[in-house]
Amino acid sequence: IYYKDVVAVGYYNDDKNYVITLDSEKENIQIKSKNYDLFSNLLNRIDPNVEPVIVKRLTKLIFEENREIAIGHVIFDRNGYRSKKRFRNKSVYWRDTIYNATINNGEVILLEDENDCAKEFTTISMRENNASVIPSLIDTLYKEFHMRQQN
């Protein structure tokens, strides 16, 4: 798989191995290792090349093709993001205060604003395809939204 063809990526620990998955339209690669140093070395070589490609592709789908993108149970669109979980009828909008998503203990933590403070909105397991790109994706989508508002 060439970096430019990757549409989904995953980096996580499955309790037995460190796992890297790379998916294209035609192929899927899964690399497993019990060796953290090997995993870390591969991750540091792959991620800087793959993440920008995926973020650019998702941003284009959202803003140029007006598509909604699901990563786990969270839907991203040109207005913001929202959870598909039952009884969670809340959204975070790009026009509002946005906080950086963080990664901790195998989960991506998405935040929302509550009284000018960051509050947990929801979490997504790093086992979900493209969960690892969410922090960068949120930053890019926020900037893209505000750039388009100025034009």
Side-chain angles (χ1 to χ4, degrees):
I1 297 177
Y2 295 104
Y3 290 137
K4 67 178 182 58
D5 297 328
V6 174
V7 296
V9 66
Y11 312 120
Y12 58 91
N13 180 332
D14 71 1
D15 297 327
K16 294 180 183 175
N17 295 291
Y18 298 99
V19 182
I20 297 173
T21 62
L22 300 167
D23 299 339
S24 73
E25 296 290 336
K26 297 178 183 177
E27 298 178 82
N28 302 326
I29 294 175
Q30 185 176 68
I31 303 165
K32 291 185 174 186
S33 176
K34 293 182 184 337
N35 183 319
Y36 178 77
D37 291 334
L38 175 62
F39 170 79
S40 181
N41 191 4
L42 285 171
L43 178 62
N44 289 332
R45 293 173 187 269
I46 294 170
D47 190 58
N49 295 294
V50 171
E51 182 177 295
V53 170
I54 293 172
V55 169
K56 183 178 180 181
R57 179 177 288 125
L58 295 177
T59 300
K60 181 179 178 188
L61 289 172
I62 290 168
F63 281 100
E64 294 179 20
E65 298 181 22
N66 198 24
R67 301 238 326 253
E68 294 183 337
I69 303 298
I71 300 177
H73 63 275
V74 176
I75 305 287
F76 295 86
D77 64 27
R78 62 186 348 170
N79 297 311
Y81 56 89
R82 65 186 184 277
S83 175
K84 293 191 296 187
K85 284 187 174 180
R86 267 188 120 130
F87 309 116
R88 179 113 182 117
N89 196 16
K90 292 178 86 176
S91 296
V92 174
Y93 297 102
W94 304 130
R95 67 176 182 262
D96 297 334
T97 301
I98 300 292
Y99 297 93
N100 292 332
T102 59
I103 296 174
N104 190 20
N105 291 329
E107 294 191 320
V108 180
I109 303 164
L110 285 81
L111 304 168
E112 64 182 322
D113 183 60
E114 186 174 281
N115 301 320
D116 296 325
C117 292
K119 176 186 168 202
E120 184 177 300
F121 177 74
T122 193
T123 61
I124 300 173
S125 170
M126 288 291 287
R127 292 179 188 228
E128 295 287 345
N129 275 341
N130 292 333
S132 64
V133 306
I134 288 174
S136 181
L137 180 65
I138 287 175
D139 183 57
T140 301
L141 294 175
Y142 177 81
K143 289 175 181 172
E144 184 73 17
F145 174 83
H146 286 281
M147 182 195 71
R148 289 172 180 260
Q149 295 303 303
Q150 292 174 352
N151 294 337

